[in-house]
Amino acid sequence: MAATLAPTLAPPRLLPSGDSAVTVEFSRTIDDAANQRVLALDRALTESGIEGVIEAVPTYRSLLVHYDPGRIGFDALGDKLLALASQPQPPTAKARRWRIPVAYGGEHGIDLEDVAKTLNTTPDDIVARHVAGDYRVAMIGFTPGWSYLSGLEKSLHMSRRQNPRLLTPAGTIAIGGVQTGVQCLAGPSGWHLLGRTPVRTYQLHRNPTFLTEPGDRVTFFAVDHKTFAEQDRAAEAGKIIAELTES
Amino acid sequence: MSRLIVASIGPASSVQDGGRPGSQRYGLTPSGAMDRLALATANCLVGNELFAAVVEIGPFGASFTARDGAVRVAIAGAPRNADIAGKPVANETSVTLRDGETLTLGFARGGAFSYLAIEGAIRGEPVFGSLAVNARAGLGSPYPRPLQAGDEFSVAAATGGPEQRIELPKPPSGPIRVVLGPQDDEFDDANKTLFLSSDWKISATSDRMGYRLEGPVIKHLHGHNIVSDGTVNGSIQVPGNGAPIVLMMDRGTSGGYPKIATVISADLGRLAQTSAGTAFRFTAISMAEAQDEARKFAQLLRGLPDRLRAADTVELNIEALHDANVAGHAVNAVDAATWQTPAEP
């Protein structure tokens, strides 16, 4: 009774996003396979050098392609994008892997205890589960450097806060829904705050300005609050705190 | 080098230019002027590149003083009273401030944003190719924040060239045009019709990130949470309370609310210049029409230098008179360009 379903590689949908952009949608839900196809199309599009394409923005489930309608029209570009999306995916290049320190709990992770209570466990256990995860940068969006990670363990999936906070600190590491992420700049968030990292995924006068790329792998490790304070000062001065390896 | 001092300025004023596309995949929004036509017009009048950095002035008044030499400027965008020591200065006309003179601008009379271009353009350190201020990301130059009284710009000394005015075509009127999507299928026909047939007003809480709309409640078919995807300038998202928000130049690069439609690029500046409280409507057009309008708009911008006239010629807008059916096919005898018969192609 093990009738295997053929892998469904349905063609993506082309959604008009005004006269100068088109959304290539692979899925309506957060879906790892769809995200892989988004990132593959993103790479293929970069390599294709299609005339008139300005930039592309990968997300969990779609690729938004900005273009100049004076150089290519919606129909012509749409055909090219669908053709690229139907090509077999080239084997992915070696992923870059970031190891990111996090000061969990206390003033840096004000929701850690509540999350533990909600999930009937201890804060230490939540931290253990969070650092055990092997994550991928599914997309970067909303504000500079905010890296949305896929791969959060099922037991940590939680609905977002009823009342989003208007201001959460720079470097916040949080969970929300089926996602976790690194929020680089201070700003509003409806996620649950587990900790803070000294790592700046975006820092204006540093080279590189942006650390993470969509498709990068990420793991977290816990540091104490004193180490956080030291690393935070070094990071502020432009030092790159995250460890980078290829895997 | 001369200096131009910001003697006074209201909120929502900052240095802007054509923006910085290219880093949206890292969450960095392009920013840039809210009204590209007015940006390009102001720059054209003082001989700058069309998308060079200018002062974007919010709806309140402002004044600017020249120091250490003369400074040539022009304003375009929302109409406002302007004077130098009580002597009126026309909008969309270049004018040279002598050392020590102050240009005083009143409140916007209709519209929201005006653009003060300075001959030689504002100088600063570009970030990803642009000086545009994005206050949330802490970038922009020379001041990575809204402008304040006392700020100053180092600028080229005025070249002393003849002053210029510009003859712009009559701005389009009628509803703001949109293309439906990308998530119009998250709304039923009744709610799409409601969106396209209702009067809307821009809320006073609007800013460079987004224009909040006041009008009927637009209901979703399947709730208001979608998995975040990319946004564009002019995306009309509908959050949980059913009050649409048009995403503007400082938008987040991704968003998790269904987007019912997108304002066409040719009409985005016109929407940006709609005063809070003024009723307007949307109308949906086809992708082919929208792209045609985008190409025409790009052509209009490119052709701006051909519309410059010497400032001392009589200010008659032939196209406007023609549209008003006043002038028939009469020509402006003062401006040679309008009475020479164009060569047949």
Side-chain angles (χ1 to χ4, degrees), chain B residues 262-316:
Chain B
T262 312
V263 177
I264 69 168
S265 51
D267 278 359
L268 195 56
R270 193 153 66 92
L271 178 72
Q273 295 287 23
T274 303
S275 315
T278 305
F280 69 95
R281 288 189 178 200
F282 292 108
T283 190
I285 62 173
S286 70
M287 176 61 79
E289 290 171 298
Q291 298 209 307
D292 201 39
E293 289 301 319
R295 288 186 280 265
K296 279 196 265 182
F297 186 67
Q299 232 164 25
L300 169 65
L301 295 182
R302 276 197 300 274
L304 285 176
D306 299 334
R307 295 175 171 272
L308 291 173
R309 305 286 182 265
D312 52 7
T313 56
V314 172
E315 205 166 327
L316 270 184

Side-chain angles (χ1 to χ4, degrees), chain B residues 26-331:
Chain B
Y26 301 113
L28 181 59
T29 202
S31 299
M34 295 282 273
D35 179 347
R36 284 174 79 80
L37 175 59
L39 165 74
T41 300
N43 274 318
C44 187
L45 283 161
V46 293
N48 293 347
E49 285 186 21
L50 295 180
F51 302 114
V54 303
V55 180
E56 180 177 88
I57 303 163
F60 301 96
S63 55
F64 303 88
T65 304
R67 295 276 182 224
D68 305 336
V71 179
R72 192 183 188 205
V73 298
I75 55 163
R80 49 182 99 209
N81 297 334
D83 71 79
I84 299 171
K87 186 171 171 257
V89 170
N91 291 206
E92 291 164 5
T93 302
S94 71
V95 64
T96 300
L97 295 171
R98 286 173 301 189
D99 190 359
E101 280 186 335
T102 296
L103 172 69
T104 304
L105 305 177
F107 283 43
R109 291 185 280 109
F113 294 101
S114 296
Y115 294 85
L116 178 91
I118 306 168
E119 187 180 34
I122 289 175
R123 294 151 194 235
E125 286 179 42
V127 178
F128 297 111
S130 163
L131 301 184
V133 170
N134 173 347
R136 199 162 41 144
L139 52 82
S141 183
Y143 299 98
R145 53 162 172 76
L147 289 166
Q148 303 166 357
D151 289 347
E152 60 176 70
F153 305 107
S154 292
V155 297
T159 56
E163 304 298 357
Q164 309 199 81
R165 63 186 175 85
I166 195 163
E167 284 182 353
L168 294 176
K170 194 180 153 200
S173 55
I176 297 291
R177 293 165 292 180
V178 300
V179 175
L180 288 176
Q183 282 99 26
D184 51 317
D185 57 358
E186 293 282 336
F187 304 87
D188 64 17
D189 286 345
N191 277 279
K192 278 188 269 198
T193 302
L194 186 63
F195 173 73
L196 293 170
S197 64
S198 300
D199 279 345
W200 295 99
K201 288 178 181 173
I202 291 163
S203 148
T205 59
S206 298
D207 59 19
R208 286 182 45 86
M209 266 188 82
Y211 275 25
R212 292 162 189 280
L213 302 184
E214 293 170 350
V217 170
I218 304 295
K219 291 197 178 74
H220 309 80
L221 263 177
H222 314 109
H224 62 267
N225 279 308
I226 59 168
V227 177
S228 292
D229 73 347
T231 66
V232 303
N233 294 336
S235 290
I236 305 173
Q237 65 176 26
V238 183
N241 65 5
I245 301 172
V246 188
L247 300 184
M248 303 301 279
M249 287 15 197
D250 286 349
R251 66 189 153 81
T253 54
S254 59
Y257 296 121
K259 297 174 280 294
I260 191 170
T262 312
V263 177
I264 69 168
S265 51
D267 278 359
L268 195 56
R270 193 153 66 92
L271 178 72
Q273 295 287 23
T274 303
S275 315
T278 305
F280 69 95
R281 288 189 178 200
F282 292 108
T283 190
I285 62 173
S286 70
M287 176 61 79
E289 290 171 298
Q291 298 209 307
D292 201 39
E293 289 301 319
R295 288 186 280 265
K296 279 196 265 182
F297 186 67
Q299 232 164 25
L300 169 65
L301 295 182
R302 276 197 300 274
L304 285 176
D306 299 334
R307 295 175 171 272
L308 291 173
R309 305 286 182 265
D312 52 7
T313 56
V314 172
E315 205 166 327
L316 270 184
N317 186 334
I318 296 299
E319 286 175 65
L321 287 177
H322 189 272
D323 285 333
N325 202 18
V326 172
H329 289 89
V331 293

Side-chain angles (χ1 to χ4, degrees), chain A residues 13 16 18-19 21 28 30 42 55-56 61-62 64 66-67 69 73-74 139-145 202 204 210 213, chain B residues 21-27 127-128 136-137 139 181-182 185-186 227 229 231-232 252-254 262 264-265 287 291 295:
Chain A
R13 297 200 305 159
D19 52 60
R28 291 186 166 216
I30 291 185
D42 181 45
E55 61 179 315
R61 61 195 185 91
S62 61
L64 177 64
H66 292 268
Y67 64 97
F74 178 84
M139 62 177 275
I140 303 173
F142 193 59
T143 54
Y202 159 78
L204 188 50
F210 298 100
E213 292 271 353
Chain B
S23 298
Q24 296 191 68
R25 60 192 294 109
Y26 301 113
V127 178
F128 297 111
R136 199 162 41 144
L139 52 82
D185 57 358
E186 293 282 336
V227 177
D229 73 347
T231 66
V232 303
T253 54
S254 59
T262 312
I264 69 168
S265 51
M287 176 61 79
Q291 298 209 307
R295 288 186 280 265

Side-chain angles (χ1 to χ4, degrees), chain A residues 48-126:
Chain A
S48 71
I50 295 174
E51 164 78 12
V53 169
I54 297 167
E55 61 179 315
V57 185
T59 69
Y60 281 110
R61 61 195 185 91
S62 61
L63 188 71
L64 177 64
V65 180
H66 292 268
Y67 64 97
D68 176 358
R71 291 162 71 197
I72 190 165
F74 178 84
D75 292 336
L77 177 60
D79 288 347
K80 286 175 192 279
L81 291 169
L82 290 178
L84 285 177
S86 69
Q87 285 175 4
Q89 292 175 29
T92 19
K94 274 188 177 174
R96 304 191 307 169
R97 181 180 295 279
W98 296 98
R99 288 191 71 236
I100 292 181
V102 181
Y104 285 97
E107 58 172 324
H108 294 327
I110 55 177
D111 295 328
L112 180 62
E113 294 209 2
D114 282 345
V115 168
K117 269 184 208 142
T118 307
L119 298 180
N120 286 320
T121 184
T122 62
D124 283 350
D125 182 50
I126 298 294

